[in-house]
Amino acid sequence: MKILIIPDSFKGSMTSTQVAHTIKRAIKDNSNHQVITLPFADGGEGFIEAFCGFSNAKIRKCECHNIYNQPMEGHIAVLGDTAIVECAIAGGMQKRRQVMLSSSYGTGELIRFAINEGYRKIILALGGTGTCDGGMGIISALGGIFYNEQYNEIRIPKSQDMNFIFGVNFRNMPRDISFTYACDVENPFYGKDGAAYVFAMQKGANQTQVQELDEGLKRLNAFLPRDISSVKGAGAAGGICGGLYSIFGGKIRSGFDILCEYADLEKQIKNADVIITGEGKTDNQTLMGKLPYKIAMLCKKHKKKCIVISGKIEDIRLGDYMISLTDDSISVEQAMNECEEILYKKVQNSLEIIGK
């Protein structure tokens, strides 16, 4: 039997590569099944790792800053005339979750590095960020200027600074850049379904701050060269998609679809007998188009058995079988701290279901 493993990361515990290899080890240690791993992602965390896994892309390292302006080593990937930049690398959530003080500036430094190296085509993987600054930080890193009420430049603008914009200058920004935004949500820039109301609380915002951020995004939109209030996906990555789209234009595409093309995913699914997918938490948001949902739909299309293995599974049905790391005896905290060991045992104990 040929088993294909296509997981997303278990955020906060294991990368998609670690998840795939742990599942493979549990199967190979206890059976003779043929196992192929294909660590995957959508538009968020792990996009570059997945992209490099099934292409000849090369990693290029550079210095940048995280969302709280602390120095770090970041990286991009390059393939041909294209650079791949992942927002979650410099812009990812930290243990300290203070979204009002966060900035996407570090992601702008990665983009600037790619541009300075001569790359004019950029795939920007959106998602997994700890910011909600509408892309102000990136725009600033690329030469855009935001002014406050005293007409002083807002340097390294933070999410809370959107409400204090009184002027802009985008004349010195590069104009010959072709962006493809790898995005797997359709949330608008602001409003009840926008970047602040849907995502900011998980980044540390309270209800008052959510309202302030939403007003800030609305204010930022008024100063951008193109109104992006009705652009689907503009709210991705704390509004980074909308802010950059307004200035540079480009194409907003499903990150999953981009990776599918490079991995020739449908052919691999057609050639397998069983497909295993999963993520850290499978819930109603999964059904809005996250990786396990899309894998399950492809399995249904090609009449393949699909097994979903996730850290936690809420009251939904997806695929043919679902396996949760958490249960009556295993808490979420324990599952996160002992993820590899628990995942191995869960797969080991489910071989009869997997190999049916």
Side-chain angles (χ1 to χ4, degrees), residues 302-318:
H302 297 291
K303 297 180 173 59
K304 301 293 181 177
K305 184 164 81 170
C306 177
I307 297 172
V308 177
I309 305 176
S310 296
K312 182 180 180 181
I313 297 173
E314 295 195 345
D315 191 23
I316 67 167
R317 291 301 309 166
L318 189 64

Side-chain angles (χ1 to χ4, degrees), residues 26-89:
I27 295 172
K28 295 295 287 182
D29 286 351
N30 299 278
S31 74
N32 295 317
H33 297 310
Q34 180 185 357
V35 181
I36 297 171
T37 59
L38 194 64
F40 224 78
D42 42 33
E45 182 182 4
F47 188 93
I48 282 181
E49 183 180 22
F51 191 92
C52 290
F54 36 74
S55 75
N56 294 319
K58 305 297 182 185
I59 295 293
R60 300 287 303 277
K61 296 181 179 180
C62 68
E63 298 300 315
C64 62
H65 293 80
N66 70 12
I67 58 175
Y68 301 124
N69 200 34
Q70 297 166 327
M72 60 172 285
E73 183 179 76
H75 62 272
I76 64 172
V78 296
L79 180 66
D81 61 354
T82 302
I84 301 91
V85 179
E86 182 181 317
C87 287
I89 289 172

Side-chain angles (χ1 to χ4, degrees), residues 162-304:
M162 291 186 294
N163 280 308
F164 301 100
I165 302 170
F166 281 81
V168 297
N169 182 346
F170 301 142
R171 289 192 297 271
N172 294 325
M173 298 187 69
R175 294 295 178 183
D176 57 342
I177 309 302
S178 174
F179 274 99
T180 297
Y181 307 96
C183 169
D184 284 277
V185 300
E186 294 189 345
N187 301 80
F189 201 55
Y190 59 84
K192 295 301 181 184
D193 296 319
Y197 275 98
V198 176
F199 303 114
M201 290 192 77
Q202 68 193 43
K203 302 176 184 185
N206 58 38
Q207 192 59 49
T208 299
Q209 290 169 334
V210 166
Q211 294 171 7
E212 290 176 6
L213 289 168
D214 188 67
E215 288 298 319
L217 289 163
K218 191 181 300 183
R219 184 178 185 86
L220 174 59
N221 182 58
F223 283 93
L224 291 171
R226 183 187 321 189
D227 176 20
I228 37 85
S229 58
S230 61
V231 175
K232 288 184 178 180
I240 286 173
C241 183
L244 295 188
Y245 185 85
S246 178
I247 294 171
F248 294 100
K251 297 178 181 178
I252 301 175
R253 294 192 60 201
S254 161
F256 178 83
D257 289 348
I258 292 171
L259 291 177
C260 275
E261 292 172 6
Y262 281 94
D264 202 3
L265 184 63
E266 286 208 48
K267 181 179 179 181
Q268 298 212 47
I269 287 176
K270 283 191 281 188
N271 290 336
D273 299 303
V274 177
I275 289 82
I276 299 175
T277 187
E279 61 187 337
K281 182 181 180 182
T282 297
D283 56 17
N284 283 323
Q285 284 196 16
T286 301
L287 303 181
M288 295 169 67
K290 287 190 176 182
L291 176 66
Y293 174 80
K294 293 191 174 184
I295 296 294
M297 293 303 100
L298 285 175
C299 291
K300 187 174 182 179
K301 174 183 175 182
H302 297 291
K303 297 180 173 59
K304 301 293 181 177

Side-chain angles (χ1 to χ4, degrees), residues 330-348:
I330 300 174
S331 67
V332 172
E333 184 179 5
Q334 183 182 358
M336 292 188 71
N337 292 335
E338 304 170 26
C339 193
E340 183 176 354
E341 179 184 350
I342 294 170
L343 176 60
Y344 182 95
K345 288 180 179 178
K346 288 279 185 172
V347 174
Q348 184 182 41

Side-chain angles (χ1 to χ4, degrees), residues 312-330:
K312 182 180 180 181
I313 297 173
E314 295 195 345
D315 191 23
I316 67 167
R317 291 301 309 166
L318 189 64
D320 297 289
Y321 298 97
M322 301 188 78
I323 300 168
S324 174
L325 269 58
T326 59
D327 55 33
D328 292 340
S329 62
I330 300 174

